């Protein structure tokens, strides 16, 4: 049903991807498809899924991550999205360290700057090198394509040359080492399925505290400070301009976290810092987005 709806009713929003001769839609269990197949991929993306549903924990398992890595071409990339508002710190520690075991050069990118409902991407690869100048050029080309009439919706954070670096949080390896004692999630030790069921499905541990807001802001700062201290920056060509954009993105994320925490004064200071660091067009006035996650959740959906 989702595939039919995407083709029939959302073609203008998805740029008619079904009609593209390079596209083949496969309806299958993705973990089984990855495990049993042999076709190599340049990019594999694992979108958001609810961790406390039965069986979902296997999608965060070491075995699954290893199968994904085996299906990547040399230089291929794997992106694992995490809905942080559905994860506690203990769950995030397990997922992040399990991921880093398989992808030791992995990095993290924000998906947005929401305070209470943020998402995070873990990006790893098979001997892949993320090149900062090439990424900026690709973002600019996407912006040009949209401006020339593509049906895709514009998003300044992925069409401005420095937008992706405002979303960049940093390499996860050093922080994963700090959490080295976190239990790993494997098929025979399904930590995530156990923790998620206990925390979110009416267990006796009380209301879980998701890893959002200032907790995420502190993690982002730790990623950058740890990388600087260890002189470990896996992104090639990550220079002062990219660093400035990343610092601006961190300030913007912190401003959102402080605002949702009820601290408008410090939030305004963080926003001013973001404005001083980011290119002006990234913070220009934009129309309200009725699909924004914070609005969606505040309305009780």
């Amino acid at each position: 049903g989702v595939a039919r709806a995407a083709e029939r009713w959302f073609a203008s929003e998805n740029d008619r991807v079904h009609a593209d001769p390079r596209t083949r839609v496969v309806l299958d269990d993705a973990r089984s498809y990855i495990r049993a197949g042999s076709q190599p991929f340049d990019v594999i993306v694992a979108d958001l899924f609810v961790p406390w549903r039965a069986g979902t924990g296997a999608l965060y398992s070491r075995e699954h991550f290893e199968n994904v890595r085996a299906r990547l071409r040399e230089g291929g990339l794997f992106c694992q999205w995490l809905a942080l508002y559905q994860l506690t710190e203990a769950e995030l520690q397990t997922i992040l360290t399990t991921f880093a075991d398989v992808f030791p050069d992995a990095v993290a990118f924000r998906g947005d700057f929401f305070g209470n409902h943020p998402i995070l991407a873990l990006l790893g690869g098979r001997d892949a090198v993320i090149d900062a100048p090439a990424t900026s050029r690709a973002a600019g080309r996407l912006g040009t394509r949209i401006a020339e009439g593509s049906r895709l919706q514009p998003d300044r954070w992925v069409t401005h040359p420095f937008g992706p670096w405002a979303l960049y949080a940093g390499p996860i390896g050093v922080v994963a080492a700090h959490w080295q004692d976190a239990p790993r999630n494997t098929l025979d030790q399904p930590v995530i399925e156990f923790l998620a069921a206990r925390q979110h499905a009416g267990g006796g541990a009380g209301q879980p505290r998701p890893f959002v807001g200032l907790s995420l802001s502190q993690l982002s700062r730790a990623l950058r400070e740890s990388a600087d201290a260890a002189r470990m920056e896996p992104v090639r060509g990550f220079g002062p301009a990219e660093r400035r954009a990343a610092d601006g993105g961190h300030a913007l994320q912190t401003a959102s976290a402080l605002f949702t925490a009820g601290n408008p004064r410090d939030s305004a200071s963080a926003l001013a810092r973001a404005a001083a660091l980011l290119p002006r067009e990234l913070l220009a006035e934009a129309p309200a987005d009725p699909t924004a996650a914070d609005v969606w959740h505040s309305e009780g959906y």
Side-chain angles (χ1 to χ4, degrees):
V2 171
R4 289 196 301 271
E7 182 176 10
R8 295 178 183 179
W9 297 314
F10 295 95
S12 60
E13 284 74 20
N14 61 42
D15 208 23
R16 304 188 184 280
V17 65
H18 287 74
D20 192 312
R22 299 169 297 178
T23 298
R24 182 166 65 98
V25 178
V26 177
L27 303 179
D28 199 348
D29 178 273
R31 188 168 69 93
S32 298
Y33 182 81
I34 288 292
R35 184 179 64 231
S38 59
Q39 177 187 354
F41 292 93
D42 296 312
V43 177
I44 297 175
V45 179
D47 211 338
L48 304 174
F49 26 76
V50 181
W52 55 85
R53 288 183 177 168
T56 301
L59 293 168
Y60 300 118
S61 67
R62 176 184 292 164
E63 293 89 342
H64 176 58
F65 292 155
E66 289 172 341
N67 288 334
V68 168
R69 191 180 191 282
R71 294 291 298 275
L72 291 171
R73 286 191 175 94
E74 193 76 13
L77 289 171
F78 172 49
C79 177
Q80 173 67 67
W81 284 103
L82 303 175
L84 296 182
Y85 52 89
Q86 295 175 337
L87 297 170
T88 63
E89 182 174 0
E91 292 162 311
L92 180 63
Q93 287 183 8
T94 287
I95 293 172
L96 191 148
T97 52
T98 304
F99 192 91
D101 285 348
V102 180
F103 300 100
D105 293 327
V107 297
F109 281 82
R110 306 173 189 88
D112 50 52
F113 298 98
F114 293 130
N116 283 336
H117 302 95
I119 60 175
L120 189 73
L122 305 181
L123 191 64
R126 184 173 180 179
D127 299 321
V129 176
I130 301 174
D131 184 271
T135 300
S136 294
R137 290 193 296 271
R141 287 195 300 271
L142 179 60
T144 299
R145 179 186 171 197
I146 292 175
E148 290 176 349
S150 168
R151 299 179 183 89
L152 295 173
Q153 295 298 309
D155 182 340
R156 68 185 72 186
W157 303 107
V158 293
T159 58
H160 188 284
F162 289 107
W165 304 116
L167 297 170
Y168 181 52
I172 69 174
V174 177
V175 171
H178 178 71
W179 285 340
Q180 190 61 33
D181 293 336
R184 302 314 199 256
N185 188 55
T186 62
L187 294 180
D188 62 344
Q189 295 288 331
V191 177
I192 293 301
E193 185 151 346
F194 171 75
L195 288 177
R198 184 178 67 176
Q199 295 286 349
H200 300 276
Q207 186 69 21
R209 294 185 61 183
F211 199 86
V212 300
L214 293 173
S215 296
L216 175 58
S217 180
Q218 291 164 1
L219 174 63
S220 299
R221 180 176 295 279
L223 290 174
R224 173 50 47 206
E225 291 178 349
S226 299
D228 290 345
R231 296 185 179 180
M232 183 189 74
E233 179 50 71
V235 176
R236 184 169 59 193
F238 186 80
E242 290 80 11
R243 171 61 183 269
R244 182 181 177 89
D247 288 345
H250 173 72
L252 186 58
Q253 177 194 355
T254 301
S256 180
L258 288 166
F259 184 81
T260 56
N263 189 342
R265 181 175 179 178
D266 288 344
S267 174
S269 297
L271 184 58
R273 175 169 168 76
L277 291 168
L278 292 171
R280 180 175 299 178
E281 53 271 27
L282 282 177
L283 290 180
E285 288 293 330
D289 180 3
T291 67
D294 282 345
V295 174
W296 179 263
H297 286 276
S298 70
E299 293 298 325
Y301 293 103

